[in-house]
Amino acid sequence: RRETIGALLRGCGLTFTEVDNLDAFAAGTAPLGLTDAPLLSGFVVREAGVLVLTESELYAATGPRTRTRRARHQTNVEMMVRDIAELKVGDAVVHIDHGIGRYQGLTTIDTPEGGAEFLELEYKNGAKLFVPVANLHLISRYAGADPANAPLHTLGRGDWEKAKRKAAEEVRDTAVELLHLYALRQSRTGNAFTFSAKDYQAFAEGFPFEETPDQATAIAAVIHDMTTAKSMDRLVCGDVGFGKTEVALRAAFIAAMAGRQTAVLCPTTLLAEQHAATFRDRFADWPVTIAELSRFRTGKETTRTIEGLADGSVDIVIGTHKLLSEKVQFKNLGLIIIDEEHRFGVRQKEQLRRLRAEVDVLTLTATPIPRTLSMSLEGIRDFSVIATAPEKRLSVKTFVHAEEDGLIREAVLRELKRGGQVYFLHNEVETIENRRERLARLVPEARIVVAHGQMSERELERVMREFYQQRFNVLLCTTIIETGIDVPTANTIVIARADKFGLAQLHQLRGRVGRSHHQAYAYLLTPPDGAYTKDAQKRLEAIQSMEELGSGFYLAMHDLEIRGAGEVLGEHQSGEIAEVGFEIYNRMLMNAVKALKRGESIDPEAPLATTTEINLHAPALLPSSYVPDVARRLAVYKELASAEHRAEIESITEDLVDRYGKMPDAAARLAAIHNLRLKCEKAGIRKIDAGSSATVITFSPTTSVKPENLIRTLQSRKNARMAGPEKLRFEGGKEKPEDRLQFVSEVLADLMG
């Protein structure tokens, strides 16, 4: 913080000296001193004639600073998307002006102005492009069909412009369709729920844990959606056990207090059973009737529940797709909560869509399928991410290995010896008994029980209950355990033929363990002869590398890369997205939707918002002597390039100073260039070239600079002239890079009036 304050004081033309303490300042003659100390408020030392001011008094920034800090802890979805995983050499990337190439690493090149760091990109026919790190915002990671076979472009051939134009035309049609969807959603008046803040507070206090920042944000977003008159359609993406159920409980409470019914839709009977227990527990002190509708209930119970829903005596119903049958009629349904939407079939989703028209919808998922995810990122649905882990939660250690008897015995015994339980997943009902015999021979110490979907309801319920009560310590099962069942003592899962599962499914299965403070293990077994597909290998690599807590969202992004995003509204899994990459397509779509909302037409020749390239002809980088780790340097470059507000850049520089000490000139210059970039993008300026002999400013066709301001600038600065229809040139540049920065800032202030 001292570095930041020092920079601000210098910017205001105030001279000061840095001192170690108050005595050193009092002994000196300097009128203004700067130091750091843990002090909340200032004071006056009358005998020494010294006034001590703290930073919070100087800027009255105590409140806003805590807000900024909290905001930084919340997960920035945009940053996560851009930062799907750190770039590795050989990854496909997209340059806004030159198209798709391959990243070959960071290189330092000696230029006439000094050493500069560049990203080396390789294009078709071995052509090379070196991009200065200050222009990293022009580059995004390629996520389209298959990054390994990304369609590389030839530099200077015009293929990229053609691909962009084609994608822009498709985007225009999609944007019109999207706006139609938006308009329908906006015109539908939903339920503006009202509730007592005091009652809500009492209910919230029943939550035995402290909310994580992401969880608090998701809850606040849901409450806001429900209390406004617009229909809610929100997707909450959070890892297994990260507190999505609590978001659902709060939403159900608000609906119940407003006198409306809630339907909770679960993909499996076991999950419905578990949710029902949780809801009954939390609503025990409230006059709310909760019923369950699943194959575990008797015919009498089912009839009673259906009658209760029709006459309004049941407030909350929790069930499987039985809830969607025509027999079930609600008296005044106000909210639908869908757990793991991707587990429901097409017909069921159609029924849900019909219900969506009148009621608020909240969807919970651990790994959204690519289409759901891309629809959320494109803004069709509202989106909240819960990526902060609850306290004391450890990530699940994940191993991918060819199946071996020795490995299975060791994995199972290690868990049993510490008093835990094991899930062994074998997803073929026909051969599950053979597997049980093999396991019994291999680990005679284990008490094994079998569970699968073809067992009768009562039998399955008994098996699960006995496993939960630890009468058995190995559960040999199919994917019936995939969603929701919570056994805190089961902390090892062995998955046979893991190559046959999808990424979302593997992540869900892994989430069955590690739900307490014990270290959990997941063993993903593949065929011993290595006979599985390339895509399966990619999925297994992705899940092994993404074992940190909260990685469900990142995994869904990887799935998006492996499978492709799918046309936004169509049925196909490719479209023009593969040609330009998911992120560029997404940016085009956002711009098109914004333009149509403003009543402007979409120009296929300029489908993207202005991005500014700034060249000061001076080193602007993080020197390797300052930040030695290449991956860390690239991460900081990315953060700066993705920053959309001055406060973000300030917080990044503060973190750097905190970690590595005072910033060298080249690093400070890089931060200043990014601050300038934000101003230029607002003004619609495409390029600034500020050299020692001249400065040239290039405008985009859609610039917001008014002609009268441009004329005034030309008249007030004798060395200015138009060097072309879109270029403003100032003769006689400045020697020092800092003076050039100052000069460009002054000119921008003139131009913006």
Side-chain angles (χ1 to χ4, degrees):
R1 290 298 301 161
R2 188 177 67 188
E3 289 296 322
T4 306
I5 297 290
L8 289 166
L9 291 173
R10 277 191 289 272
C12 297
L14 293 166
T15 51
F16 62 91
T17 53
E18 288 192 9
V19 291
D20 291 334
N21 52 43
L22 188 57
D23 294 338
F25 176 67
T29 56
L32 181 62
L34 187 61
T35 189
D36 52 291
L39 194 63
L40 187 66
S41 58
F43 54 88
V44 177
V45 187
R46 292 196 191 282
E47 54 274 18
V50 174
L51 164 67
V52 176
L53 278 174
T54 65
E55 180 196 357
S56 55
E57 290 165 320
L58 203 57
Y59 290 98
T62 316
R65 277 201 58 208
T66 54
R67 268 211 304 278
T68 312
R69 198 173 297 124
R70 195 174 303 129
R72 209 181 307 160
H73 283 301
Q74 289 158 10
T75 306
N76 177 346
V77 177
E78 195 64 23
M79 193 62 206
M80 286 172 79
V81 175
R82 289 181 182 172
D83 225 343
I84 314 166
E86 280 312 323
L87 275 179
K88 296 191 292 292
V89 172
D91 280 354
V93 293
V94 187
H95 190 294
I96 280 179
D97 298 328
H98 302 289
I100 302 166
R102 288 205 181 280
Y103 169 69
Q104 299 298 335
L106 280 174
T107 7
T108 307
I109 298 174
D110 288 322
T111 66
E113 290 92 20
E117 202 157 19
F118 294 84
L119 263 83
E120 186 183 331
L121 306 184
E122 189 178 339
Y123 282 80
K124 214 171 184 178
N125 306 325
K128 292 269 176 37
L129 179 72
F130 293 92
V131 183
V133 287
N135 294 341
L136 200 64
H137 55 286
L138 302 175
I139 286 173
S140 60
R141 197 154 170 225
Y142 175 79
D146 173 9
N149 303 315
L152 300 188
H153 288 105
T154 311
L155 286 179
R157 268 272 306 273
D159 306 358
W160 172 240
E161 293 307 319
K162 211 180 288 172
K164 261 205 301 195
R165 198 176 306 114
K166 218 170 160 195
E169 282 162 10
E170 188 186 284
V171 156
R172 185 174 49 195
D173 301 341
T174 306
V176 170
E177 227 166 313
L178 276 184
L179 270 188
H180 179 60
L181 276 178
Y182 271 133
L184 280 178
R185 248 180 70 190
Q186 299 293 342
S187 62
R188 277 203 316 254
T189 48
N191 310 304
F193 294 95
T194 52
F195 62 96
S196 150
K198 195 176 166 191
D199 286 350
Y200 173 77
Q201 198 52 44
F203 180 78
E205 278 165 13
F207 183 48
F209 310 99
E210 192 183 335
E211 294 151 5
T212 62
D214 282 356
Q215 200 180 17
T217 309
I219 290 168
V222 167
I223 291 173
H224 174 265
D225 289 353
M226 290 181 76
T227 49
T228 51
K230 193 187 78 152
S231 283
M232 170 169 82
D233 187 3
R234 181 168 288 277
L235 175 70
V236 175
C237 174
D239 239 342
V240 182
F242 273 33
K244 298 188 297 294
T245 310
E246 182 60 23
V247 180
L249 282 161
R250 305 275 177 101
F253 177 81
I254 290 168
M257 290 302 109
R260 302 300 295 262
Q261 291 171 303
T262 299
V264 183
L265 198 59
C266 309
T268 66
T269 313
L270 286 170
L271 185 55
E273 180 97 332
Q274 198 169 323
H275 272 330
T278 309
F279 271 72
R280 284 194 186 104
D281 184 40
R282 280 301 298 281
F283 282 96
D285 302 335
W286 298 90
V288 172
T289 311
I290 295 166
E292 194 188 335
L293 207 58
S294 71
R295 63 190 181 118
F296 280 175
R297 303 294 108 204
T298 62
K300 255 186 197 167
E301 285 173 320
T302 301
T303 309
R304 206 178 312 132
T305 301
I306 291 172
E307 285 167 3
L309 289 171
D311 65 25
S313 59
V314 171
D315 300 302
I316 298 172
V317 63
I318 297 156
T320 54
H321 55 268
K322 265 194 170 186
L323 276 176
L324 299 172
S325 76
E326 284 169 19
K327 284 185 200 166
V328 179
Q329 298 296 325
F330 294 89
K331 188 181 180 189
N332 56 351
L333 182 64
L335 173 69
I336 299 177
I337 297 167
I338 306 166
D339 205 356
E340 298 301 339
E341 186 181 25
H342 66 275
R343 299 293 309 281
F344 294 100
V346 176
R347 272 209 311 280
Q348 291 151 352
K349 282 186 184 169
E350 277 308 313
Q351 285 165 294
L352 283 173
R353 214 160 275 138
R354 279 203 299 279
L355 285 171
R356 261 200 182 114
E358 299 92 48
V359 298
D360 284 11
V361 179
L362 176 65
T363 307
L364 314 173
T365 181
T367 44
I369 50 171
R371 179 166 310 212
T372 312
L373 179 70
S374 67
M375 281 174 76
S376 303
L377 297 177
E378 279 141 12
I380 301 175
R381 303 172 76 178
D382 298 314
F383 192 34
S384 298
V385 175
I386 303 179
T388 22
E391 277 187 61
K392 293 185 180 171
R393 182 67 63 85
L394 299 167
S395 59
V396 180
K397 291 249 184 293
T398 307
F399 307 99
V400 176
H401 204 282
E403 185 173 326
E404 290 171 9
D405 284 357
L407 178 76
I408 294 172
R409 177 171 166 78
E410 188 190 334
V412 173
L413 273 183
R414 182 186 287 150
E415 187 58 56
L416 301 189
K417 278 179 180 170
R418 62 173 184 172
Q421 292 169 285
V422 178
Y423 291 116
F424 194 105
L425 199 117
H426 178 93
N427 205 28
E428 284 178 6
V429 177
E430 305 80 50
T431 58
I432 202 162
E433 274 306 315
N434 301 353
R435 173 68 81 172
R436 194 184 68 78
E437 287 165 19
R438 274 179 61 195
L439 266 180
R441 280 200 306 274
L442 198 57
V443 195
E445 302 91 331
R447 300 189 300 280
I448 303 166
V449 68
V450 176
H452 55 76
Q454 290 178 21
M455 294 164 77
S456 70
E457 292 91 334
R458 294 284 162 227
E459 179 68 4
L460 188 58
E461 193 178 2
R462 181 190 63 76
V463 166
M464 296 313 296
R465 204 156 277 152
E466 288 184 346
F467 182 68
Y468 184 79
Q469 290 159 353
Q470 293 182 296
R471 291 184 187 164
F472 299 98
N473 50 20
V474 174
L475 179 69
L476 175 61
C477 55
T478 57
T479 51
I480 192 156
I481 60 146
E482 186 182 337
T483 39
I485 173 164
D486 189 356
V487 182
T489 47
N491 283 307
T492 292
I493 185 165
V494 182
I495 303 175
R497 287 308 305 259
D499 55 297
K500 286 190 168 184
F501 295 99
L503 202 48
Q505 215 173 6
L506 284 171
H507 182 62
Q508 282 282 34
L509 290 166
R510 180 172 66 179
R512 294 305 106 222
V513 295
R515 297 179 76 97
S516 65
H517 55 277
H518 295 291
Q519 179 62 64
Y521 301 92
Y523 296 86
L524 312 182
L525 305 181
T526 57
D529 52 4
Y532 51 93
T533 66
K534 203 173 176 188
D535 270 2
Q537 189 182 340
K538 277 189 202 164
R539 288 197 297 273
L540 293 169
E541 279 171 10
I543 196 132
Q544 191 173 16
S545 64
M546 295 279 171
E547 60 177 28
E548 309 90 50
L549 293 164
S551 58
F553 186 82
Y554 293 93
L555 278 169
M557 290 304 302
H558 266 288
D559 207 6
L560 195 73
E561 290 187 357
I562 294 166
R563 285 167 45 183
E567 283 174 12
V568 183
L569 300 164
E571 290 303 311
H572 305 293
Q573 275 285 340
S574 61
E576 295 304 327
I577 296 178
E579 291 302 313
V580 294
F582 176 71
E583 194 183 320
I584 297 280
Y585 186 91
N586 202 23
R587 277 202 238 170
M588 284 181 176
L589 190 59
M590 287 285 89
N591 286 332
V593 168
K594 281 177 190 165
L596 284 173
K597 275 185 171 175
R598 290 193 300 266
E600 298 167 7
S601 58
I602 301 164
D603 179 7
E605 300 297 322
L608 290 158
T610 307
T611 49
T612 311
E613 203 178 315
I614 298 171
N615 189 359
L616 281 184
H617 296 277
L621 73 160
L622 298 172
S624 53
S625 54
Y626 182 57
V627 181
D629 181 33
V630 177
R632 181 70 201 130
R633 282 210 305 280
L634 188 59
V636 176
Y637 288 143
K638 267 183 159 180
E639 282 174 34
L640 285 167
S642 306
E644 289 175 4
H645 306 285
R646 191 187 171 116
E648 288 174 56
I649 295 172
E650 206 171 288
S651 86
I652 295 163
T653 53
E654 275 175 31
D655 285 347
L656 280 171
V657 171
D658 213 22
R659 197 180 289 196
Y660 302 105
K662 190 174 177 178
M663 286 172 84
D665 290 347
R669 208 171 289 132
L670 181 70
I673 283 175
H674 280 293
N675 270 322
L676 188 61
R677 169 181 66 79
L678 295 179
K679 288 182 191 169
C680 293
E681 283 174 358
K682 255 187 201 152
I685 289 170
R686 271 178 47 194
K687 190 174 181 183
I688 290 180
D689 193 318
S692 54
S693 59
T695 296
V696 179
I697 297 175
T698 310
F699 301 96
S700 77
T702 55
T703 181
S704 60
V705 173
K706 291 176 182 156
E708 57 267 32
N709 292 352
L710 189 56
I711 292 163
R712 198 169 50 244
T713 303
L714 283 164
Q715 287 169 343
S716 64
R717 295 184 182 269
K718 300 285 185 278
N719 61 346
R721 64 182 175 83
M722 292 305 290
E726 291 166 356
K727 284 190 180 177
L728 179 57
R729 184 179 174 90
F730 297 88
E731 299 296 343
K734 309 282 179 187
E735 262 318 301
K736 290 183 180 169
E738 281 63 36
D739 294 342
R740 286 175 220 159
L741 265 172
Q742 183 64 32
F743 174 71
V744 172
S745 295
E746 287 168 13
V747 170
L748 275 181
D750 285 355
L751 290 169
M752 296 306 288

